[in-house]
Amino acid sequence: ELREAQTLTLTNTPKTGMALAIDVGTYDDIHPRNKQPVGARLALAARRVAYGEKLVYSGPMYSSMKIEGSRIVLNFQHTGAGLEAKGGELKGFLVAGEDHVWHEAKAEIQGKQVIVLSTAVAKPLAVRYGWAKFPTCNLYNKEGLPAVPFRTDDWPMITAPKK
């Protein structure tokens, strides 16, 4: 929820940038000891936002989705030269249907889109990516910047027990 709040602030506040550090921290410390990647990413954001340089300054950010049968097609901004899965197959995607139960999903890059599906969800409604305290996720743009965690749903985070 904290990452979502930061992303909402970024998208709703003009002249701001964000340096994602999801791939350089550790499980028990959100402040990475290796500050160089964070500083380099902040510098890219400053060069674009403050100085107007034409460069890729952000990792992929979710922009829209389309449900196509049993799969969901995701679109992104800031894809740069394209998308890639760092270190193998894409990880970190969950999908849910009408029951709001989340299942691990297979995800595949097709051009500048990601296709997500799970055999456990016949009629998917929503996707989450990197939605955990310390997620295992590996979607990047080819410029080496990690994708911003997101959710496509607006379901309550805490639900009351059913009576």
Side-chain angles (χ1 to χ4, degrees):
E1 292 87 6
L2 174 61
R3 288 187 196 104
E4 182 178 53
Q6 291 171 325
T7 303
L8 287 171
T9 300
L10 172 74
T11 58
N12 291 305
T13 308
K15 305 280 185 192
T16 58
M18 178 171 72
L20 198 63
I22 199 161
D23 58 339
V24 293
T26 59
Y27 182 80
D28 58 349
D29 188 358
I30 62 169
H31 300 284
R33 294 183 191 275
N34 182 2
K35 306 291 189 203
Q36 288 188 346
V38 179
R41 292 169 186 176
L42 283 171
L44 286 173
R47 288 172 59 193
R48 173 68 175 150
V49 174
Y51 298 106
E53 290 183 41
K54 301 282 187 227
L55 52 83
V56 178
Y57 66 100
S58 171
M61 289 184 71
Y62 164 78
S63 61
S64 66
M65 70 171 224
K66 182 178 180 183
I67 299 170
E68 294 181 349
S70 62
R71 65 187 205 151
I72 295 181
V73 179
L74 301 170
N75 294 294
F76 297 87
Q77 300 172 355
H78 307 294
T79 56
L83 299 174
E84 67 181 6
K86 199 171 189 179
E89 293 183 12
L90 279 175
K91 299 174 187 166
F93 288 89
L94 301 172
V95 66
E98 290 178 355
D99 61 1
H100 296 201
V101 175
W102 294 99
H103 299 272
E104 285 189 31
K106 292 211 177 268
E108 177 182 297
I109 296 168
Q110 289 186 359
K112 293 191 175 187
Q113 298 178 315
V114 173
I115 313 302
V116 182
L117 64 119
S118 172
T119 56
V121 183
K123 295 180 180 178
L125 292 180
V127 173
R128 290 183 179 178
Y129 171 74
W131 203 261
K133 179 180 176 182
F134 192 73
T136 300
C137 50
N138 65 343
L139 177 62
Y140 286 72
N141 58 27
K142 290 190 177 175
E143 287 74 13
L145 299 169
V148 177
F150 66 90
R151 64 182 179 140
T152 65
D153 64 281
D154 60 359
W155 303 334
M157 288 290 143
I158 300 172
T159 57
K162 294 183 180 180
K163 294 184 179 185

